[in-house]
Amino acid sequence: MEDNTNLNPTGGENTADDKKFTQEEVNNIVKNRLYKENEKLQNKVDELNQRELKADCKDFLRSENIQDYSIVDMIGYSDAEDFKNKFNSLKEYFGNMKNTPNKVPYFTSSSSNTPPNQSDQLRDAFKHPNFK
């Protein structure tokens, strides 16, 4: 009967080119592969968390009857509460602007000391015919 002690686990005979690993090398190889897989999974988890956060921001906008979701990226957010605070600050700011009348500044030429209520040739030249 033949001696089977020279067979490797794949069923072939051992040769001088076969690489043998120590337990420490195997542990390092496995550790590196697990680290890489863990890194990939963590990236996917981070991506899913960002998607969920953006969806939460869009839900908040929907509750405020706003259908343009591009504002989510314009305002920016680190978490849902941060987005709500920024949005409410902007809403308050622009809401206050809506309640104040538009004040258009009146500019006069530096050479003219004519008050705004008196006739001005330049203003008269560009005046719209339907406006007095």
Side-chain angles (χ1 to χ4, degrees):
M1 187 165 217
E2 288 184 39
D3 186 16
N4 290 335
T5 57
N6 289 338
L7 296 178
N8 66 18
T10 59
E13 288 188 23
N14 284 336
T15 63
D17 294 337
D18 285 345
K19 172 78 172 155
K20 294 183 181 179
F21 295 101
T22 64
Q23 187 62 43
E24 186 177 331
E25 290 173 325
V26 171
N27 289 344
N28 284 335
I29 291 169
V30 171
K31 188 181 354 177
N32 288 337
R33 286 185 184 170
L34 288 174
Y35 178 79
K36 288 178 185 178
E37 285 302 314
N38 189 26
E39 207 172 52
K40 287 180 190 177
L41 289 175
Q42 188 59 47
N43 288 339
K44 287 189 185 252
V45 167
D46 291 344
E47 182 183 324
L48 289 173
N49 286 338
Q50 279 300 109
R51 281 185 182 178
E52 181 180 3
L53 179 57
K54 192 169 189 173
D56 289 345
C57 294
K58 288 179 180 181
D59 288 343
F60 174 73
L61 288 176
R62 200 173 294 117
S63 73
E64 295 285 324
N65 295 321
I66 295 177
Q67 301 301 318
D68 184 7
Y69 302 128
S70 64
I71 194 169
V72 172
D73 293 323
M74 284 188 258
I75 292 176
Y77 52 89
S78 58
D79 58 36
E81 203 58 38
D82 177 51
F83 178 79
K84 289 176 185 178
N85 290 338
K86 288 178 180 179
F87 176 82
N88 287 328
S89 295
L90 287 171
K91 183 179 172 183
E92 182 181 325
Y93 175 77
F94 287 111
N96 290 340
M97 280 184 57
K98 194 186 316 180
N99 297 331
T100 59
N102 290 339
K103 294 183 179 179
V104 179
Y106 180 79
F107 297 103
T108 61
S109 66
S110 60
S111 62
S112 171
N113 292 330
T114 311
N117 57 0
Q118 292 185 358
S119 178
D120 182 79
Q121 291 179 347
L122 185 60
R123 184 179 48 209
D124 291 340
F126 288 100
K127 187 166 80 173
H128 193 277
N130 294 337
F131 296 113
K132 293 185 178 185

